[in-house]
Amino acid sequence: MRFANLLIDRAMIYLLFFLYGVFSVLIYELLNIEFFVNITDKLSSMNRIQDILLTSAVYFIYLFSMEYFTKGRTVGKYITGTKVLSTDGTQPTLQDYFIRTISRFVPFDPFSFFGYNGWHDNWSNTRVISIKKYEADRQAKSDINAIGTKEIA
């Protein structure tokens, strides 16, 4: 599921760049405004390092803002039914999301998932959980804790 989240979110970045290109052409064709087309021309003439830096910045903004403003979810996580929680089961803080997002840019972070949890999970004290499984586990724990308690009518 984690790999699916990665692929879907990366596809979203490509889609954002594509939509920006479509938007700039439409604005030019309909309103004869060259501003966005000029930016697109500058983007297409960037060298490899500039391209990596720009794409990384957009990816950072996408991941950080999506996870923070949607309380732990990105488009990939919505599709796969997962979300981010702190290791104590609470909603992560702004700092947790920042650490989580910036940690993704450490080289070889994706390979850290060959273990149990990836580096960006460990360093931010967060986990990605399946919402359905998490809710079922919480309900089961609640049911077990309720065994033997007397219901008041």
Side-chain angles (χ1 to χ4, degrees):
M1 240 190 273
R2 299 296 297 267
F3 188 62
N5 290 343
L6 173 72
L7 291 178
I8 293 165
D9 289 331
R10 290 266 171 109
M12 288 304 301
I13 297 303
Y14 292 126
L15 181 63
L16 288 173
F17 280 109
F18 175 76
L19 291 175
Y20 175 79
V22 170
F23 170 78
S24 63
V25 169
L26 283 175
I27 293 296
Y28 176 74
E29 292 295 327
L30 296 174
L31 304 173
N32 204 27
I33 298 173
E34 295 182 8
F35 176 76
F36 297 106
V37 174
N38 291 339
I39 292 174
T40 303
D41 287 340
K42 288 179 184 174
L43 292 175
S44 65
S45 65
M46 289 190 314
N47 66 38
R48 180 78 174 135
I49 300 297
Q50 292 169 324
D51 180 43
I52 290 170
L53 290 174
L54 175 66
T55 305
S56 295
V58 170
Y59 192 58
F60 176 87
I61 292 166
Y62 166 79
L63 288 173
F64 178 74
S65 60
M66 283 292 294
E67 285 188 344
Y68 181 71
F69 291 113
T70 62
K71 299 185 190 272
R73 302 188 78 185
T74 60
V75 173
K77 289 178 185 73
Y78 274 106
I79 292 171
T80 61
T82 58
K83 74 180 277 181
V84 176
L85 282 181
S86 291
T87 52
D88 63 3
T90 62
Q91 186 65 39
T93 64
L94 177 75
Q95 181 179 351
D96 294 336
Y97 286 123
F98 181 81
I99 292 169
R100 179 179 171 75
T101 305
I102 202 77
S103 298
R104 285 183 166 113
F105 293 96
V106 172
F108 306 110
D109 175 63
F111 298 112
S112 69
F113 283 93
F114 288 125
Y116 180 67
N117 291 306
W119 294 338
H120 68 261
D121 286 341
N122 287 330
W123 295 339
S124 62
N125 293 317
T126 60
R127 298 293 181 266
V128 174
I129 53 101
S130 166
I131 295 171
K132 286 181 182 178
K133 185 176 181 319
Y134 179 75
E135 292 300 326
D137 289 348
R138 280 185 54 192
Q139 183 62 45
K141 186 175 182 177
S142 175
D143 292 347
I144 289 170
N145 289 337
I147 292 175
T149 60
K150 188 174 186 177
E151 288 187 25
I152 299 174

